[in-house]
Amino acid sequence: MNADYHQHDDGTWTATVAPELLPGAVTIDDVDLHTVFHKVIAVVEVLAQTAPPDADISTITLHRVDGDTLRWLAAVDEYGFTDCVNAAQFPDH
């Protein structure tokens, strides 16, 4: 799955999630990047849990800011929730 984030001029954030099973993307808005991230993870979890048994659903999600993974990493560091991202992405570690 892909999650592309964008910060608007007013400081709010939008994430567009493009899961394999949906005909279109899911858009999530919030004032806080950390909150948007958790909403994205929740969408991914629900899709994985409700997928048909024979569906090959990956819960691995590529996060980007305006299409750039390095900007995502910089934003996570700037907003101070690196540990949270690692825990959500790698829950078994």
Side-chain angles (χ1 to χ4, degrees):
M1 268 181 242
N2 294 308
D4 200 19
Y5 300 77
H6 174 75
Q7 187 174 28
H8 302 279
D9 292 339
D10 64 0
T12 60
W13 287 88
T14 297
T16 303
V17 182
E20 301 101 7
L21 292 180
L22 294 180
V26 175
T27 303
I28 303 164
D29 298 301
D30 204 286
V31 296
D32 178 58
L33 177 59
H34 190 178
T35 302
V36 172
F37 168 75
H38 279 286
K39 290 178 179 181
V40 166
I41 295 300
V43 166
V44 170
E45 289 175 357
V46 166
L47 288 172
Q49 292 171 359
T50 59
D54 61 339
D56 186 20
I57 301 298
S58 173
T59 58
I60 296 171
T61 306
L62 176 62
H63 299 270
R64 303 172 297 195
V65 172
D66 295 326
D68 187 338
T69 54
L70 294 178
R71 285 188 59 201
W72 166 251
L73 295 173
V76 167
D77 186 53
E78 178 184 341
Y79 286 85
F81 63 100
T82 302
D83 290 344
C84 186
V85 169
N86 289 337
Q89 292 290 91
F90 308 104
D92 298 330
H93 292 83

